[in-house]
Amino acid sequence: MTTELIRNFCIIAHIDHGKSTLADRFLELTSTVSREKMQAQVLDDMDLERERGITIKSHPIRMMYKAEDGKQYQFNLIDTPGHVDFSYEVSRSLAACEGAILVVDASQGIEAQTLTNIYLALENDLAIIPVINKIDLPSARPDEIRKQVADLLGIDNETILACSAKTGLGIAPILERVIEEIPPPSSKADEPLKALVFDSKFDAFRGAVAYIRVFGGTFKRGDSIRFLSTGREYEADEIGFFRMGRVPVETLNSGEVGYVIANIRTVSDIKTGDTITTRLKGTNEAVEGYREIKPMVFSGIYPVDKVDYEDLRSSLEKLKLNDSSISYEPETSAALGFGFRAGFLGLLHMEIVQERLFREFNVNIITTVPNVKYRALLKSGEEVYIESPAKMPSPQECDAIYEPIAKLQIITPTEYVGSLMKLCDEKRGKMGTMEYLDTTRVCLHYRIPMSEMIIDFFDKMKSLSKGYASMDYDFDGYESDTLIKLDILINGSPVDAFSSIVHKDNAFYYGQSITSKLKELIPRQQFEVAIQAAIGNKVIARTTVKPYRKDVTSKCYGGDISRKRKLLEKQKEGKKRMKQVGNVEIPQEAFLAVLNRE
């Protein structure tokens, strides 16, 4: 097929604005999936995606569409996630496309992630087709939302399409607009092979599968290929495109989207964003436009059973191929044994990874308190990065500690502005600007420490705004502040899994909340268990788990009181000795409870 008849595009939107449902209607209209096999979120192949109603992975698919002009077009669609934690998936998809369909909910309007996705698309010079979805809802305000979108993009609001992805109303005009407004890929068939790896997946039987977009040349089955960043060479055993599964073909031409299987067994050999070329007479110029996003939240991952350490390592390797944004390195904890320090893009991303490790690889894990990457300036002049509280240098060695700051954007109805500003102030946020998008909605701009935002900020924002507010954030550099390491001691021994880096002003309240929560969860022993929160050698909060007490005086019927006292004193001495040698078993619920601190 000539490149004139190819269109590569993706669907971008805020979470829950109907991207996957719109993709379902496209598949129905182009007869890619028959009505009998159609189900909701047909492209979302993970159970987790269906249960939560969210898209986690980008999903490419090829559709053949007969247009009104009588020509048959090849549409390569990539369905993208909408949650802020998965913006890396969106950036990869945009690098492989020439255009994007921007979906906006007719009842919700423009939200924080909508704005971010528009800026990402504009940075990649993509053609944007705005679509108002869910016009069948009783609460829909299509005319008002049309005006919002038109003002934002600087276009005539009459040109904005409206549809209902649920009922199928207004779907065909969107595909016609794709042909008119999204440019075809440029024809570079005579150039050397140049293909972008925009995603990858691990297949237990075939090894690593690279998802590619061909930017130049022709990709043939059996070609000897080379990955530019690693320099590794392979032979392409199978190439093809995506329908509802993988469809093998002999060639992939310039402008097409597909996959390559090359017997790649080492999962680290495929790097997302890499460029594939031929071994002989290949290009040395990498495909531009892809940026790798660095992890923002760090947490320790340990197997519940220590013999599962190697299983956890191989599971993380395979998962990294499906999700290249995870980073991890080996770590040892005195309390939990051998494990890994893993980096995630946000709390939802961390939650999804934990769930996938259990479901897909059957590995039971314990995670430590999530924290961010700090920067410490030592008195020697050296700069070090701190991803774990255990690695934090002592106050005597440090000159200054810098914490990562997030540039936060909250879009909210006007009646919730006061309570959300109060929340941001409590979280040590500094207000920037405040702009009215229209008479009923406000956009607040804040700079806020990332450590304050990653635990419970999103949940509190949603409850204060009754679910109406939306947020988006971006990394905005480092700033110095008074930060300290808070240790939790069980019977005088620090448990590194509970350690955290906190602001000095919040240390007492955080220490108090953790110790009181652990008091409820650590089981009673034959001896007294002291739970303390300490900064260095100074204890700032303490609770005690009372011991069980055997009734040693039960055999004394009457008689002198001194006999009873003697038995009780003997018991007391025994308990002292027991306390000195006694070990406390900390249940898994205690580690999980620290994650859900209020």
Side-chain angles (χ1 to χ4, degrees), residues 141-431:
R141 303 164 293 154
D143 296 335
E144 190 185 321
I145 306 303
R146 249 201 191 99
K147 188 174 182 309
Q148 279 180 20
V149 177
D151 291 346
L152 182 67
L153 295 174
I155 56 174
D156 181 9
N157 60 4
E158 294 300 317
T159 62
I160 297 171
L161 299 170
C163 74
S164 166
K166 189 177 178 182
T167 62
L169 178 70
I171 301 297
I174 301 173
L175 293 177
E176 290 297 324
R177 188 71 70 84
V178 166
I179 295 166
E180 291 166 26
E181 295 192 14
I182 295 177
S186 51
S187 179
K188 295 178 181 175
D190 51 346
E191 292 186 6
L193 175 66
K194 189 199 282 186
L196 169 76
V197 179
F198 67 89
D199 206 347
S200 54
K201 190 173 184 178
F202 185 78
D203 186 305
F205 302 103
R206 306 297 303 273
V209 182
Y211 292 13
I212 58 167
R213 153 74 200 269
V214 183
F215 278 92
T218 305
F219 204 153
K220 299 187 185 75
R221 187 169 73 85
D223 275 352
S224 291
I225 58 170
R226 175 167 59 93
F227 286 85
L228 280 192
S229 74
T230 60
R232 302 239 179 205
E233 295 176 359
Y234 297 95
E235 190 171 304
D237 293 340
E238 182 183 307
I239 60 170
F241 61 87
F242 298 97
R243 197 47 78 80
M244 282 315 291
R246 297 196 292 259
V247 181
V249 291
E250 288 299 312
T251 58
L252 281 173
N253 298 314
S254 177
E256 293 190 321
V257 174
Y259 68 89
V260 58
I261 297 172
N263 198 23
I264 304 166
R265 295 292 170 191
T266 310
V267 292
S268 56
D269 285 355
I270 288 189
K271 191 175 183 335
T272 305
D274 201 352
T275 302
I276 294 177
T277 188
T278 46
R279 186 168 63 84
L280 301 171
K281 297 181 183 176
T283 183
N284 288 319
E285 187 187 326
V287 179
E288 292 179 5
Y290 171 76
R291 65 188 177 99
E292 199 167 326
I293 296 176
K294 291 176 182 165
M296 292 294 169
V297 176
F298 295 85
S299 174
I301 294 181
Y302 296 87
V304 171
D305 192 339
K306 288 171 186 176
V307 296
D308 292 338
Y309 175 73
E310 284 304 322
D311 290 346
L312 177 59
R313 182 197 290 279
S314 63
S315 302
L316 280 168
E317 277 183 4
K318 289 169 187 169
L319 195 60
K320 186 173 171 62
L321 189 66
N322 292 349
D323 183 351
S324 64
S325 63
I326 303 168
S327 64
Y328 62 91
E329 58 182 39
E331 182 183 62
T332 311
S333 160
L336 300 171
F338 292 104
F340 297 92
R341 167 70 35 179
F344 310 94
L345 294 169
L347 276 196
L348 177 69
H349 185 215
M350 180 175 138
E351 204 179 310
I352 295 295
V353 168
Q354 289 173 29
E355 193 77 24
R356 287 183 71 186
L357 281 170
F358 177 67
R359 289 188 184 206
E360 294 173 29
F361 304 102
N362 202 24
V363 179
N364 280 313
I365 57 167
I366 290 174
T367 52
T368 60
V369 185
N371 62 283
V372 295
K373 186 192 272 188
Y374 297 91
R375 198 173 78 201
L377 181 65
L378 303 181
K379 289 190 174 164
S380 61
E382 188 190 349
E383 262 194 0
V384 291
Y385 284 94
I386 306 159
E387 291 170 7
S388 155
K391 293 179 183 175
M392 184 162 173
S394 66
Q396 291 78 21
E397 296 175 288
C398 276
D399 223 10
I401 294 181
Y402 299 85
E403 63 180 341
I405 302 293
K407 191 163 59 178
L408 181 66
Q409 183 176 276
I410 299 175
I411 295 178
T412 174
T414 47
E415 61 260 41
Y416 307 116
V417 169
S419 53
L420 290 178
M421 286 171 77
K422 189 182 173 188
L423 172 66
C424 291
D425 289 341
E426 285 171 6
K427 296 287 183 181
R428 300 191 286 130
K430 290 174 187 169
M431 189 169 181

Side-chain angles (χ1 to χ4, degrees), residues 553-565 567:
T553 61
S554 59
K555 293 178 183 175
C556 300
Y557 298 105
D560 191 4
I561 189 70
S562 60
R563 189 173 168 217
K564 288 186 180 179
R565 281 196 186 132
L567 288 169

